[in-house]
Amino acid sequence: MVANYDEVMKLALERGFYFPSCEIYSDAPAGFWEYGPRGVNMKNKFIELWRRELVRRDDMLEIDGCQIMSKSVFVASGHIGNFTDPVIKCRKCGSSFRADRYITEKTGENVLERMAEEEIKALIKKHNLRCPNCNGEFGEVSKFNMMFPVGIGPAAEEAYLRPETCQTIFVDFARVFKTMRGRLPMGIAQVGKSFRNEIAPRQSLLRLREFYQAEIEIFCNPDRLNEMPKFEEVKNTVLRLFDGSSIIEVTAEEAISKGLTPNKLITYYLALLIEFYDKIGIDVKRSRFRNLSVDEKAFYASVAFDFEVETSIGWLELVACNYRSDYDLKGHASTSKQNLEVLDSATQSKVLPHVFELSMGIDRSIYAILEHCYYKDEQHDDRVVLRLKPYLAPILVGILPLMTKDGLDQKARRINSELKYDFDTFYDESGSIGRRYRRLEEIGTPFAVTVDNTTMQDDTVTVRHRDTMQQERINISDLHQYLHKALGRR
RNA sequence: GCGACGGUCGUCCAGUUUGGUCUAGGACAUCAGAUUGCCAAUCUGGUAACCCGGGUUCAAAUCCCGGCCGUCGCACCA
């Protein structure tokens, strides 16, 4: 039984995964959401697996940069120029439109991305364009920048909240490469918040104004994109590639030989990404890499694959995989007047690295995992089971006394005390045993340890499995090892 | 941002049409007690809400205006 958005939303609100920010105030703006206790735990575990399966596996370097950055950064990155849309507003009914698109649609005239406001105005006048809704006259052309400005210090020096975490990586690149004795290709990773003043934030975690990204920027020599010994590790990994009409399943090796992906470096990282999402609990059979067409790509990307998963509200983009070439380093080099070239030790030549990025949306990923793991068990009174991987579950194990007498509760409390420093545990004695099992499985707890009368005689407990409802009896002294193993730890 | 519709306990809903026993009701969830003792059991009791601001009126959950939020459509989406 497949979940829908409303069911996931209800579970998230009722069980403390996430909820609207500032909700006790009526002027709370849209597009801001908080993680509750269960959500933040799950998010932390998501990031831990990201570190393990991408950052450590590939020997990347992680940094943690500032969220407020100087204006120059965004002049260099192109956000000051490109992150704005020209908007025209009807004087009569107030409807607003993207000026460039509207003019092109109505007149066929090509409107350049950087066309000045005066020129746009002239075009409207020339063709006598009016509002399609009420035939009213258009007012001034305005530019809406989606970055949040901030004023630094008493003089309110112009700066911005970063609209993407990667800019920190680019401006830090030279120092990190030097001090960490970098070699190309080199990955720099970062988890952090980004901020975009969305016009219409919607659907809770899916379209936020303040959101988490986990970003990886691979700095590479563009002449050596097929020199990738590590590629052997992933050559049999299956990629599902979508060309706009159908999904083709191929191994990483086949993707290259058939020309579906451009080179080994990009293909290697697409494969790492899909392996990560498989381990995190996404049903990868319901995912695809969408090869973006020319007009869909961001202004800085020359090759772009969006990693998308199928949900009840359609295909949802979780990761943008962009080959940004030297767009960013070139921009920062010329704006800052710093030389950002590095020596590629393999060729002993100076090179301005190109960049391939994996830009993951954490919040959207959390939503997608919840939806893919949500299961309504029709065999057992429609019990709701969140079938999260053990290493992602907010609570790993519930510790339950069968009843609160004959010392069973004290015994269970002692077991909880012994385990809680190493695992996320939850002690619960309230309500019938069946009710307590149901509450645990609803937040994805894979195991429930029950203390019964037999425990008092031989120090064994039952371990109940969330998905099968089967129980096994094991020694209390083996519990630690048992849970350790269940987490897949070494 | 525009348009349509909507906003009542944690959740879902009743009450708004026709202002007045609404001191706002129910179910689920939750808490306490009793009973039971391995899969949402039963009984008793409790906690808990009219989105915010203004207006009309003797009287507003109910009517009017503004704001905020939500759903859908358009537009936008690095």
Side-chain angles (χ1 to χ4, degrees), chain A residues 384-397:
Chain A
V384 171
V385 188
L386 208 50
R387 298 201 282 198
L388 298 172
K389 301 281 189 189
Y391 43 78
L392 208 63
I395 303 292
L396 178 68
V397 57

Side-chain angles (χ1 to χ4, degrees), chain A residues 399-438:
Chain A
I399 316 285
L400 321 170
L402 189 59
M403 49 192 170
T404 53
K405 58 185 185 194
D406 301 334
L408 297 192
D409 46 342
Q410 284 99 319
K411 186 86 178 170
R413 278 207 179 85
R414 273 202 299 280
I415 294 172
N416 186 44
S417 308
E418 281 162 24
L419 295 174
K420 70 180 181 185
Y421 293 101
D422 295 315
F423 307 101
D424 285 307
T425 66
F426 184 70
Y427 172 82
D428 191 4
E429 60 177 34
S430 147
S432 75
I433 191 72
R435 177 179 292 265
R436 283 177 276 162
Y437 289 148
R438 298 289 160 99

